[in-house]
Amino acid sequence: KVITSFNELQYFTGLTEIGAWTFYNCTNLTSVILPNSITSIGNDAFNSCHKLISVPIPYSVKNISYAVFRNCFSMTDIYVDDSNTNYCSVDGVLFSHDKKVLVAYPDGKQGAYSIPNSVIEIGNCAFSSCKGLTSVLIPNSVTIIGFDAFSDCRALSSLTIPNSVTTIRYAAFAFCTGLTSITIPSSVTNMEFFVCNWKVFCVGRNLVLQIAFDVKRRISKKEQQEKEGRACFMSFKSIDLENWSRKEYYNLQFLAHIV
């Protein structure tokens, strides 16, 4: 029998946690009702539930980890009980209750999105796998972009990071295959950039390009130096490094332009 809903879960009143990867790849699941005893939802709990439409967050939930609804392509809204004092939903997007952290953007939403001015942190995996996201406006209130925040947003073509941002964490834009240009302001002093298995680290105001070992094969130091320029920004046609005091480009001639 194919299970499409798991609403009976609401009667497990002693259940306090939905563990990491609990419903992973339950591809026919369309809805789950959680009991009001749940206080924690682990990372990737509903990952790859492609038909999942609704999992209302009860008032009892105190902690929601990252990537809980990643690859839930049918979900366009995340609902939170109005009595919850830790989280809230605005236009179907999940936030911390004070709206300072954008926790999760539904993968099923399409088009452009403007992040509210209250947000200071884009959470880990917040927009991950939002394949219909075409553009996003990041306000000047944001200071942190979490790891995997925009990974696999394949329709995203360009992005401007405001000069309020100081930290960009690992793999923030990994596998954004449609991303052709990005503006990185001088305010960013801690950057872990990952595109197609290549990393770019920013230390202070000095841009340092560091090639990570290919996960499939090791490369020599000489090969590494030769490939630095070509590989680090292999998905980009242009990159604007705004007002950096020193720039190390190695061999970046293939880029359309560097400011």
Side-chain angles (χ1 to χ4, degrees):
K1 181 181 178 179
V2 176
I3 297 175
T4 59
S5 65
F6 199 33
N7 297 335
E8 292 82 2
L9 195 64
Q10 65 183 303
Y11 302 114
F12 288 72
T13 55
L15 189 65
T16 61
E17 180 181 359
I18 302 297
W21 304 93
T22 297
F23 291 93
Y24 171 68
N25 207 32
C26 291
T27 54
N28 290 297
L29 194 65
T30 59
S31 66
V32 175
I33 297 179
L34 302 177
N36 287 325
S37 56
I38 292 292
T39 60
S40 179
I41 303 175
N43 65 277
D44 297 275
F46 298 95
N47 190 333
S48 297
C49 294
H50 299 155
K51 296 180 181 179
L52 188 63
I53 298 173
S54 176
V55 184
I57 308 298
Y59 69 83
S60 56
V61 172
K62 298 178 181 179
N63 180 59
I64 299 175
S65 191
Y66 59 89
V68 167
F69 300 112
R70 178 151 54 183
N71 296 316
C72 294
F73 302 126
S74 298
M75 184 175 288
T76 56
D77 295 280
I78 300 172
Y79 299 101
V80 180
D81 190 294
D82 290 339
S83 300
N84 192 300
T85 59
N86 297 285
Y87 296 95
C88 69
S89 177
V90 179
D91 297 326
V93 181
L94 181 63
F95 294 88
S96 59
H97 192 265
D98 59 9
K99 300 182 182 67
K100 290 184 178 181
V101 181
L102 195 159
V103 180
Y105 185 87
D107 282 1
K109 280 188 177 292
Q110 305 285 318
Y113 181 67
S114 295
I115 296 174
N117 292 326
S118 62
V119 174
I120 62 173
E121 179 177 352
I122 299 173
N124 299 331
C125 305
F127 291 88
S128 180
S129 299
C130 292
K131 292 178 171 58
L133 183 69
T134 56
S135 66
V136 59
L137 179 62
I138 303 176
N140 285 321
S141 57
V142 172
T143 61
I144 299 172
I145 299 176
F147 73 78
D148 263 2
F150 293 94
S151 66
D152 209 22
C153 291
R154 303 193 178 197
L156 196 62
S157 59
S158 65
L159 190 68
T160 298
I161 300 171
N163 54 21
S164 58
V165 173
T166 59
T167 299
I168 302 175
R169 293 190 173 134
Y170 178 77
F173 308 100
F175 309 113
C176 290
T177 54
L179 195 59
T180 57
S181 66
I182 190 167
T183 300
I184 302 174
S186 57
S187 59
V188 177
T189 56
N190 180 24
M191 181 168 69
E192 300 175 356
F193 210 103
F194 173 81
V195 178
C196 300
N197 295 331
W198 305 103
K199 297 180 192 175
V200 180
F201 291 89
C202 172
V203 181
R205 287 181 174 239
N206 297 328
L207 182 70
V208 179
L209 307 183
Q210 177 182 323
I211 294 302
F213 281 131
D214 190 296
V215 294
K216 294 181 180 179
R217 72 180 185 91
R218 298 287 177 175
I219 58 177
S220 69
K221 185 175 181 180
K222 182 179 179 181
E223 286 180 301
Q224 178 177 327
Q225 291 172 342
E226 290 175 349
K227 291 184 177 183
E228 268 178 349
R230 288 183 288 109
C232 281
F233 296 100
M234 63 191 302
S235 292
F236 296 94
K237 293 179 181 177
S238 66
I239 183 166
D240 186 350
L241 307 173
E242 186 180 281
N243 300 320
W244 293 83
S245 59
R246 184 169 70 90
K247 302 175 185 179
E248 295 183 13
Y249 296 137
Y250 298 93
N251 300 310
L252 297 179
Q253 298 94 333
F254 68 97
L255 293 178
H257 71 272
I258 297 178
V259 178

